[in-house]
Amino acid sequence: MNLWIEGGSGNGKRERMIQQFGIWAEQDFCHRANPQAASQKVLLLAIDSEQRRNFSDHLLLFTHGRYPITASTPLSFLQNEVRLYWTFLVRELGIKAQFPLVLRVENEQELAAQCWQQRLDGHLEMEGVGRDRLVRRMLDLLLLAAYGGYAIESIPEMLAKGIDSTQAPLWLEMGAALQEWRKYCWEAGLLTYGIVADLFVQYLLPNPRYQEQLRRRFAYVMIDRADEMPAIIADLCRFLLDQGAEGVFSFNRNGSARLGLGADPDYWQQDIKPKCEVLHQPSATVVLGSQITDPCLDLLNNPTSYNFAEPYDQLHSIDSISRAKLFRNVAEVIAAAIESGTVKANEIAIIAPGLDNIAKYAIVEILHKKNINVFPLNDQRPLSQSAQVRSLLTLMLLGYPKLGHLLSRDHVAEMLVVLTEAIDPVRAGMLADSCFAPHPEMPQLLAADTFAQWNRLGYRATKAYEQLRQWRSEQSPQQTTPLLFLDRAIQKFFKPRKLNYEQTATLQKLIETAQHHWQLGQRLGDQEPVILEKFIQLIRQGIATADPYAPNLPDDGIILATIFQYRSARRSHRWQFWLDASSELWLQGGAAALFAAPIFLKGWHGEQWTMTDQQNTDMQRLQRLIADLLDRAGDRLYLCHSEFSTNGQTQNGILLPLIEVCRSIGI
């Protein structure tokens, strides 16, 4: 029996799926000679690695670890399948037999730009779109098409029909560029998310031999939140169900946070739901959503005619003229509530349609001064923002030849401060001015007594400088590879210190990025100096980020997140603060919507995507996210807004009617 479990957030859909797994265990696995092998015929797909871990942990607890399963994310599953059947693909495509190398996003962007260099210098350009953004947009088109089950060759025609028929030459050029990129990746044995999805949907899934292997490997399938999954995963599930597999699927009617990023919830409802017994989970009753969702949505749909009742006790607004003042007002309300014991810090979430660096920094700093911890959710910072990382790169450049043009006096001064605890910024500046000998081929650190007034440095600083200089001179470029050098430098200068988790994770990510970069450079046949220079520039450009895995955030702080991050992480809190509630960003998909995404959905009507279509889509998205957020709020909601945005423009967002009927808190 196939089961389709549908409902809102927090109403027990996952628990019901786990119960169904228990039924499978009782009816099948426990009667087999090898129950563990039988349970591994269950394919569990969750939208990201954190949700996969959470679901797997729940299953392990429920079954006391007796029945392991095959758990993955959609992208990881597709990637593993392509790598597992790579020899078959090599024969099918007639390409060079070599072990495939998965590209990181930052390397994909760089190599695609190089591959398309002549096209980008010629006719491949879009008005108002920079070169880097255009490259990213084209790579996203490849992924969206593959997610929808469409071939690369069909992309130009779809763009002409759905976006702008007058730009047909541009779309043809994009299609040719994407085919060139695919050929380049095939020949070099390189895999990206788009290439992987395209290989799976065009060459693996339709193949009878592969289909037979799928039938043997999986007898059960569990899809956690089908509303966030792409169409090709629905095609995979349909094949398994048609072959006799049993499936259980959860679907959040107010979900679809990844609609615009490859998810196709309507296709799942049309293709998979009819094959299942539908179970509607009752809505949670102890959340704001059960009380105020309907009147809030009615008010937004009819702001002038709807007669809103007396303000709800759970709805409040925090107002200010400027955005800077808004941050302080929000902090005052939070601090007062925590100090009075009304709410705990870990019961509060601050959610915004977009978090710029100013907002993130201001909120964190203001609340930290009040001894309240704030933890940005899924915070990704460029490696180049780390002083430790920058200093290690500077130290590398001092020993390897032909890279002196990448060094400056400021780089050296920062390195001396960061790598040695005995050299302060003033002395570091003096040393960099007098003892750093720049040179395009071989820059050097000269002896401390090169400085005419070296006695002003002091004993501790002089000793620390000479020890660093001596250590660097002992690391011969001929005997020490850059990867080994990085490891030794970390062991020498940072291991004796007590680094916090974030610093440790950043250094670990630097090593991982370096390893992958060298592996890629060697695959492409680059020389070591070229690989090193590209690596330094890659880090300095801020493309590579550190996103440490933190499954259990400290339980004594406030969560700060964008709407997309909060919904994707499936968080819930007693109190929610909706920041910038009067911003127009609430109605826009923003970074959560890729260019031309609607025309790659299975339900696209085949005609040009109009402004009316987009407005209807944006309004539906707004209604879903409001209902979803309210289902994740316990007993209070604050709408926080300023009259003016950061750039001084008056804010007249879609949520203003709701703000006007809230109880305003005077600060």
Side-chain angles (χ1 to χ4, degrees):
M1 178 188 70
N2 303 319
L3 195 59
W4 179 276
I5 307 170
E6 189 168 320
S9 298
N11 66 350
K13 295 187 297 297
R14 176 173 289 183
E15 287 73 14
R16 183 61 184 85
M17 293 181 71
I18 293 174
Q19 291 177 12
Q20 185 63 29
F21 180 82
I23 294 174
W24 293 341
E26 292 179 1
Q27 295 179 348
D28 185 358
F29 310 152
C30 67
H31 300 295
R32 300 294 184 94
N34 190 339
Q36 286 75 25
S39 66
Q40 287 179 350
K41 288 193 173 186
V42 177
L43 173 62
L44 165 65
L45 293 180
I47 195 57
D48 57 42
S49 56
E50 182 176 356
Q51 300 304 325
R52 174 189 59 79
R53 283 189 294 265
N54 290 339
F55 205 137
S56 298
D57 290 346
H58 279 84
L59 281 176
L60 286 174
L61 290 174
F62 181 76
T63 62
H64 304 288
R66 289 176 294 181
Y67 302 113
I69 63 171
T70 303
S72 184
T73 66
L75 281 173
S76 294
F77 176 78
L78 299 180
Q79 180 176 299
N80 291 337
E81 294 300 287
V82 167
R83 296 177 71 174
L84 182 62
Y85 291 91
W86 183 248
T87 53
F88 163 77
L89 291 170
V90 165
R91 291 194 301 269
E92 185 80 7
L93 302 174
I95 58 179
K96 181 180 178 181
Q98 53 188 329
F99 193 77
L101 177 63
V102 180
L103 287 181
R104 292 173 180 256
V105 174
E106 57 266 22
N107 298 117
E108 175 192 25
Q109 178 95 9
E110 178 188 13
L111 286 181
Q114 293 177 10
C115 179
W116 297 331
Q117 183 66 48
Q118 292 184 349
R119 296 180 185 273
L120 293 169
D121 292 338
H123 303 292
L124 186 54
E125 59 180 5
M126 291 185 71
E127 185 177 354
V129 180
R131 176 171 294 198
D132 291 343
R133 186 180 172 197
L134 178 58
V135 171
R136 185 69 260 162
R137 179 172 288 186
M138 293 169 60
L139 294 172
D140 290 338
L141 286 174
L142 171 60
L143 181 61
L144 287 172
Y147 270 170
Y150 301 107
I152 291 180
E153 292 76 9
S154 65
I155 292 178
E157 181 181 358
M158 297 178 70
L159 290 173
K161 287 183 179 180
I163 304 301
D164 187 354
S165 59
T166 65
Q167 296 288 326
L170 172 61
W171 309 138
L172 288 173
E173 184 73 9
M174 283 187 174
L178 287 173
Q179 292 184 57
E180 181 184 6
W181 169 244
R182 179 178 63 179
K183 182 180 179 182
Y184 172 81
C185 290
W186 285 359
E187 292 176 348
L190 303 178
L191 298 179
T192 69
Y193 291 148
I195 297 295
V196 162
D198 180 70
L199 286 171
F200 181 83
V201 72
Q202 299 298 328
Y203 297 95
L204 272 187
L205 190 56
N207 186 274
R209 291 175 58 190
Y210 176 70
Q211 291 177 351
E212 177 63 21
Q213 292 296 321
L214 277 179
R215 186 187 66 79
R216 293 179 179 178
R217 289 163 58 199
F218 302 115
Y220 302 90
V221 60
M222 305 179 74
I223 302 297
D224 182 34
R225 292 290 297 271
D227 54 285
E228 308 289 6
M229 297 285 178
I232 57 172
I233 300 300
D235 292 337
L236 168 68
C237 292
R238 183 183 66 248
F239 168 78
L240 291 174
L241 297 182
D242 290 344
Q243 297 301 310
E246 290 189 38
V248 56
F249 311 86
S250 68
F251 189 93
N252 185 350
R253 57 174 177 264
N254 295 324
S256 307
R258 285 176 170 79
L259 181 62
L261 296 175
D264 198 339
D266 290 342
Y267 185 63
W268 279 87
Q269 293 192 89
Q270 297 166 8
D271 200 47
I272 302 298
K273 185 177 179 178
K275 300 178 179 294
C276 306
E277 177 183 336
V278 179
L279 176 63
H280 292 279
Q281 288 287 97
S283 300
T285 58
V286 293
V287 295
L288 280 181
S290 63
Q291 307 171 44
I292 63 174
T293 294
D294 290 339
C296 285
L297 294 181
D298 289 342
L299 177 61
L300 294 179
N301 290 326
N302 305 285
T304 57
S305 60
Y306 185 75
N307 184 19
F308 200 78
E310 287 296 320
Y312 287 91
D313 292 335
Q314 304 95 327
L315 281 179
H316 303 270
S317 68
I318 302 176
D319 315 331
S320 70
I321 299 297
S322 69
R323 197 160 178 253
K325 176 62 174 173
L326 175 64
F327 299 150
R328 291 192 291 272
N329 290 349
V330 170
E332 292 293 340
V333 171
I334 291 176
I338 293 176
E339 184 178 356
S340 67
T342 306
V343 67
K344 299 178 181 177
N346 62 352
E347 296 175 325
I348 297 175
I350 302 175
I351 309 167
L355 276 174
D356 54 82
N357 291 332
I358 295 176
K360 188 180 298 185
Y361 176 81
I363 292 173
V364 171
E365 286 299 308
I366 293 173
L367 288 172
H368 275 182
K369 290 179 181 179
K370 298 178 180 295
N371 296 318
I372 300 173
N373 292 324
V374 181
F375 302 109
L377 193 61
N378 298 330
D379 191 25
Q380 293 185 335
R381 299 182 182 179
L383 291 175
S384 58
Q385 288 188 3
S386 166
Q388 286 87 2
V389 168
R390 294 194 300 269
S391 299
L392 289 171
L393 299 184
T394 301
L395 193 61
M396 291 180 73
L397 292 173
L398 282 168
Y400 290 91
K402 300 181 180 181
L403 298 174
H405 62 283
L406 298 176
L407 266 181
S408 71
R409 173 230 179 245
D410 292 337
H411 290 138
V412 174
E414 180 187 47
M415 177 196 70
L416 294 176
V417 173
V418 174
L419 297 186
T420 65
E421 298 177 296
I423 302 179
D424 58 56
V426 174
R427 289 179 173 85
M430 294 163 59
L431 285 165
D433 286 336
S434 303
C435 300
F436 168 55
H439 192 276
E441 292 290 330
M442 187 62 70
Q444 298 181 51
L445 291 180
L446 304 178
D449 56 13
T450 305
F451 179 34
Q453 296 177 312
W454 60 270
N455 57 305
R456 294 175 56 188
L457 297 174
Y459 174 77
R460 291 182 68 247
T462 302
K463 181 180 178 181
Y465 172 75
E466 288 298 337
Q467 287 177 341
L468 182 147
R469 197 170 73 89
Q470 180 182 358
W471 183 88
R472 184 63 189 90
S473 65
E474 294 171 352
Q475 313 305 314
S476 171
Q478 290 76 26
Q479 299 177 357
T480 308
T481 64
L483 290 175
L484 180 58
F485 174 85
L486 273 179
D487 182 68
R488 287 180 176 178
I490 292 173
Q491 298 295 323
K492 169 67 176 178
F493 297 104
F494 295 126
K495 187 175 181 180
R497 307 184 191 182
K498 293 183 178 180
L499 299 180
N500 59 34
Y501 172 79
E502 181 180 343
Q503 293 171 328
T504 303
T506 299
L507 293 176
Q508 179 181 348
K509 185 59 180 284
L510 175 67
I511 293 294
E512 293 174 357
T513 303
Q515 290 174 335
H516 181 271
H517 185 83
W518 254 262
Q519 189 178 9
L520 174 60
Q522 291 168 354
R523 170 67 62 89
L524 299 177
D526 292 339
Q527 297 298 315
E528 186 107 318
V530 176
I531 299 175
L532 179 55
E533 182 172 357
K534 287 183 177 180
F535 174 69
I536 300 293
Q537 293 175 338
L538 176 72
I539 300 299
R540 287 183 174 177
Q541 289 170 2
I543 300 175
T545 60
D547 45 355
Y549 166 52
N552 298 311
L553 288 173
D555 58 359
D556 61 344
I558 298 168
I559 291 296
L560 176 64
T562 64
I563 297 172
F564 178 78
Q565 290 171 338
Y566 190 77
R567 296 179 69 201
S568 298
R570 305 184 193 179
R571 300 280 178 164
S572 298
H573 290 82
R574 275 187 60 202
W575 286 18
Q576 288 182 3
F577 289 76
W578 292 4
L579 200 64
D580 296 326
S582 54
S583 169
E584 296 180 356
L585 293 176
W586 283 84
L587 191 58
Q588 302 171 8
L594 299 177
F595 172 73
I599 70 173
F600 293 100
L601 299 176
K602 292 288 191 179
W604 173 48
H605 45 58
E607 300 177 356
Q608 185 172 352
W609 188 257
T610 65
M611 184 64 70
T612 301
D613 291 328
Q614 189 60 49
Q615 290 173 348
N616 292 336
T617 299
D618 288 342
M619 195 62 193
Q620 293 170 7
R621 170 187 166 277
L622 176 69
Q623 293 176 341
R624 287 196 306 271
L625 76 85
I626 287 179
D628 192 34
L629 289 178
L630 291 177
D631 280 346
R632 301 181 184 281
D635 52 45
R636 191 170 299 186
L637 170 64
Y638 290 86
L639 300 180
C640 317
H641 75 102
S642 57
E643 185 176 340
F644 298 104
S645 63
T646 303
N647 60 10
Q649 298 294 320
T650 302
Q651 301 202 96
N652 296 302
I654 189 71
L655 298 188
L656 274 181
L658 186 59
I659 294 173
E660 292 172 355
V661 300
C662 292
R663 297 180 184 274
S664 180
I665 296 181
I667 300 292

